[in-house]
C-alpha cells in the first residue's frame, strides 16, 4: 500500500503570523495538522511542539501501539505547554488543536483534540471522521441550534479541548479500513469554516490531490481567508 500526499498552508489575508504547523511523514504513514493559539507567536510555538513530538515518535508495525504512542505524546506536550504558559510574566493559555492520521496495512486511525478535522472521500462520498471539540458542536448536539447555524454562530471560534488548554487532556481516536482510491483530508478550521463538505468532496473527487489542494486553498483566499489555513490530502494507491 502506497500513498500520494500533498500539503498546503497559508497565513491567510488578515493574520501576520501563521500559527499552523504540518507533519508529513508519508514514508512512515503518519500525518498531522496543528492549529496554534495564544497570540504573540505563542500559538506558533505550541503547534510546532505538537508536530515535533509526533515527528519524534518511534514507528512500529503495530497500528494500536503507534496510536497509543501518539496520544501519549500529546499528553506530554500538554503538560509542557501548561508549564510554559505559567512561566510567562502574564500567565495565559498557550495551546494547539491537533488532528493526526496513521495508516498501516489497510487500516487507519485518527487522533484529535480541538476543531481541526479529518475527512475521508470514498467512491464520491465524503465522511467527516472527527467530531469538533467546540461550543457550537455541543449546542448542535443538544438541539439548541441547527447544524447550518454553526458556521455563523458568534461563538464559532470557541473550542472546548486543545493541547495545552487544561491540566487533563483527552485525545479522541477513531479508526476503520483504508482502501486503494480512498482520499483522506486533514485540515485546520481556516479551511472548514469557509469551504463546506460538498465542495471539498467535489474537488477531491474530480481532481488529483495536488490540483484539488490548490483549488481548496484558492477558494479560501477568494473568500477573504480571515485565518491561517492548512490542509493535507493523502490518497491511498
Amino acid at each position: 500500500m502506497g500513498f500520494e500526499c500533498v500539503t498546503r498552508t497559508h497565513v491567510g489575508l488578515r493574520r501576520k503570523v501563521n500559527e499552523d504547523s504540518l507533519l508529513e511523514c508519508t514514508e512512515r504513514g503518519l500525518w498531522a495538522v496543528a492549529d496554534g493559539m495564544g497570540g504573540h507567536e505563542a500559538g506558533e510555538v505550541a503547534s510546532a511542539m505538537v508536530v515535533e513530538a509526533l515527528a519524534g515518535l518511534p514507528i512500529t508495525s503495530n497500528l494500536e501501539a503507534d496510536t497509543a504512542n501518539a496520544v501519549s505524546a500529546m499528553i506530554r506536550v500538554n503538560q509542557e505547554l501548561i508549564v510554559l504558559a505559567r512561566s510567562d510574566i502574564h500567565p495565559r493559555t498557550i495551546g494547539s488543536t491537533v488532528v493526526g492520521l496513521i495508516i498501516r496495512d489497510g487500516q487507519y486511525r485518527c487522533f484529535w483534540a480541538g476543531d481541526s478535522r479529518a475527512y475521508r472521500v470514498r467512491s464520491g462520498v465524503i465522511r467527516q471522521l472527527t467530531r469538533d471539540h467546540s461550543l457550537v458542536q455541543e449546542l448542535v448536539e443538544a438541539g439548541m441550534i441547527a447544524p447550518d447555524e454553526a458556521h455563523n454562530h458568534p461563538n464559532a471560534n470557541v473550542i472546548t479541548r486543545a493541547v495545552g488548554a487544561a491540566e487533563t487532556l483527552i485525545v479522541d481516536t477513531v479508526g476503520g479500513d483504508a482502501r486503494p482510491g480512498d482520499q483522506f483530508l486533514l485540515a485546520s478550521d481556516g479551511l472548514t469554516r469557509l469551504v463546506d463538505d460538498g465542495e471539498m468532496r467535489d474537488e477531491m473527487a474530480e481532481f488529483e490531490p495536488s490540483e484539488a489542494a490548490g483549488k481548496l486553498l484558492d477558494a479560501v483566499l477568494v473568500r477573504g481567508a480571515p485565518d491561517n489555513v492548512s490542509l493535507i490530502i493523502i490518497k491511498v494507491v
Side-chain angles (χ1 to χ4, degrees), residues 33 42 55-56 62 84 94 96 102 107 113 122 146 154 158 165 181 186 193 215 219 223-224 226-227 232 234 236:
V33 171
N62 186 309
L84 179 63
I94 301 175
S96 177
I102 305 171
Q107 294 288 314
R122 172 182 288 172
V158 178
L186 308 180
R193 285 192 194 172
K215 287 180 174 294
R223 294 164 195 176
D227 196 0
I232 303 176
I234 305 104
V236 183

Side-chain angles (χ1 to χ4, degrees), residues 9 14 17 50 67 98 104 131 135 177:
T9 189
R14 299 185 192 174
V17 175
V50 165
T67 306
V98 62
R104 298 275 183 280
R131 169 194 172 275
L135 178 59
D177 65 321

Side-chain angles (χ1 to χ4, degrees), residues 124-142:
V125 177
I126 190 167
R127 177 186 173 196
Q128 183 176 331
L129 303 175
T130 54
R131 169 194 172 275
D132 291 353
H133 300 135
S134 67
L135 178 59
V136 294
Q137 182 62 36
E138 293 180 357
L139 294 174
V140 168
E141 292 175 358

